């Protein structure tokens, strides 16, 4: 049986406490009560933009091994030819990664999805269209986006258990959707702010200068806008692999790092 998300979140607990305080403040100073309410709204908005925050729901953003392990994850693909060349690079270093794919790209490249699985990697749900403003939509829209991606992968024989929100943004509606679909949320703890391979210069430097044990590293396997940048991207990913080895950080599957299965077949 899949583990359900906690029925009460820190956001709800905080809301109850601040509502109680605001109710008392209202007796003595209405403006103070309004300020407390606005403060809660600010906290809720701010928490949405922190991928490591578990304010709304339990979020897995790093490992739990206590060892010199890290995991590689690639978002937004699959794409041609980038994903295949990333697979070749990972195979060269005998590394397993997790690919959080969009449903629309999985439909375009089912053969690459099969190659990802054949190479021993795992697949996660990254919504259907990868709309960066997904979390601003209504519950039905959010549910449909995650469900459609899940359905596409199931048609390929993949039952993914992990969901990563586009650009790492979460919202109060997300735990309800994930509970219904039996998914858990995985984000990341180390990224280069590459904007989906739009800023790949010094990508490896930005990762290696801050990576540490138990980090979940975020990279992307979508093709850069300029064809000539693909070689740069692959060189940067290889530098990351070599740099992690030099730092004595072992790259392990995400499932090993977080002690949970990512998918079943």
């Amino acid at each position: 049986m899949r583990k359900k998300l906690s029925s009460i979140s820190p956001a709800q607990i905080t809301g109850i406490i601040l509502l109680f305080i605001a109710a008392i403040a209202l007796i003595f100073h209405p403006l103070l009560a309004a300020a407390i309410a606005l403060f809660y709204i600010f906290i809720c908005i701010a928490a949405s933009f922190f991928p490591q925050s578990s304010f709304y729901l339990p979020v897995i953003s790093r490992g739990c091994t206590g060892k010199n392990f890290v995991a590689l994850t690639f978002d937004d693909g699959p794409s041609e030819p980038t994903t295949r060349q990333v697979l070749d690079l990972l195979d060269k270093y005998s590394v397993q990664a997790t690919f959080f794919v969009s449903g629309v790209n999985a439909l375009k490249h089912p053969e690459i999805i099969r190659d990802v699985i054949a190479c021993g990697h795992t697949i996660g749900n990254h919504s259907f269209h990868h709309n960066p403003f997904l979390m601003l939509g209504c519950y039905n829209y959010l549910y449909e986006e995650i469900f459609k991606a899940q359905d596409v992968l199931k048609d390929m024989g993949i039952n993914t258990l992990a969901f990563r929100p586009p650009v790492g943004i979460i919202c109060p509606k997300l735990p309800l959707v994930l509970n219904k679909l039996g998914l858990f949320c995985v984000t990341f703890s180390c990224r280069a702010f590459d904007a989906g391979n739009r800023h790949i210069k010094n990508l490896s430097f930005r990762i290696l200068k801050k990576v540490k044990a138990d980090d979940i590293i975020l990279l992307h396997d979508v093709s850069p806008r300029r064809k000539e940048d693909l070689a740069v991207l692959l060189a940067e990913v290889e530098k990351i692999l070599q740099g992690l080895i030099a730092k004595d950080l072992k790259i392990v599957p995400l499932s090993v790092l977080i002690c949970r299965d990512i998918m079943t077949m």
Side-chain angles (χ1 to χ4, degrees):
M1 181 179 294
R2 292 173 179 167
K3 187 177 180 180
K4 291 288 185 179
L5 302 179
S6 174
S7 58
I8 186 165
S9 67
Q12 292 169 316
I13 295 172
T14 303
I16 292 169
I17 293 172
L18 290 181
L19 180 63
F20 177 74
I21 295 173
I24 296 175
L26 184 62
I27 300 172
F28 303 99
H29 202 305
L31 287 179
L32 178 59
I36 293 171
L38 288 174
F39 177 65
Y40 179 64
I41 293 172
F42 171 78
I43 292 174
C44 290
I45 293 173
S48 299
F49 294 92
F50 287 88
Q52 292 81 34
S53 171
S54 291
F55 192 61
Y56 292 120
L57 76 166
V59 170
I60 299 174
S61 61
R62 57 183 300 104
C64 57
T65 67
K67 300 178 181 179
N68 285 343
F69 291 170
V70 295
L72 286 181
T73 63
F74 292 86
D75 282 11
D76 303 357
S79 67
E80 186 72 76
T82 304
T83 303
R84 290 191 190 279
Q85 296 190 29
V86 167
L87 290 176
D88 291 340
L89 198 52
L90 296 176
D91 183 60
K92 176 181 175 180
Y93 288 85
S94 301
V95 167
Q96 290 181 315
T98 295
F99 291 78
F100 286 92
V101 305
S102 71
V104 67
N105 283 336
L107 277 177
K108 288 180 183 176
H109 304 290
E111 70 287 349
I112 300 182
I113 295 292
R114 288 192 289 269
D115 289 345
V116 169
I117 299 300
C119 290
H121 307 291
T122 49
I123 298 285
N125 185 325
H126 200 37
S127 80
F128 189 78
H129 289 105
H130 190 269
N131 179 356
F133 303 107
L134 173 62
M135 296 298 158
L136 297 179
C138 67
Y139 171 87
N140 288 339
Y141 174 59
L142 179 60
Y143 178 87
E144 188 69 13
E145 276 288 305
I146 300 174
F147 172 79
K148 283 176 68 176
Q150 197 75 352
D151 207 37
V152 166
L153 294 173
K154 282 185 178 179
D155 285 344
M156 298 177 184
I158 300 166
N159 180 37
T160 187
L161 307 173
F163 171 75
R164 174 173 285 173
V167 299
I169 296 175
I170 56 178
C171 72
K173 300 178 289 291
L174 184 58
L176 299 175
V177 173
L178 296 189
N179 260 334
K180 190 169 183 179
L181 294 174
L183 298 168
F184 61 89
C185 186
V186 177
T187 57
F188 42 82
S189 54
C190 183
R191 60 173 168 173
F193 294 95
D194 58 359
N197 287 339
R198 292 180 178 86
H199 308 302
I200 57 177
K201 185 179 180 181
N202 296 324
L203 176 65
S204 58
F205 173 77
R206 283 176 275 148
I207 291 291
L208 294 172
K209 74 176 180 179
K210 58 185 176 182
V211 68
K212 54 188 179 297
D214 266 330
D215 268 344
I216 298 175
I217 300 171
L218 168 64
L219 299 171
H220 294 86
D221 62 318
V222 287
S223 297
R225 290 183 174 180
R226 301 188 306 172
K227 290 184 179 180
E228 57 267 31
D229 283 343
L230 177 55
V232 178
L233 171 64
L234 295 171
E236 289 294 318
V237 174
E238 185 158 24
K239 286 179 184 178
I240 291 172
L241 297 175
Q242 294 170 343
L244 292 174
I245 294 170
K247 285 177 171 285
D248 196 31
L249 290 169
K250 183 178 180 181
I251 305 169
V252 300
L254 181 59
S255 59
V256 172
L257 194 76
I258 67 174
C259 305
R260 294 188 69 169
D261 288 336
I262 302 301
M263 51 166 274
T264 60
M265 297 290 290

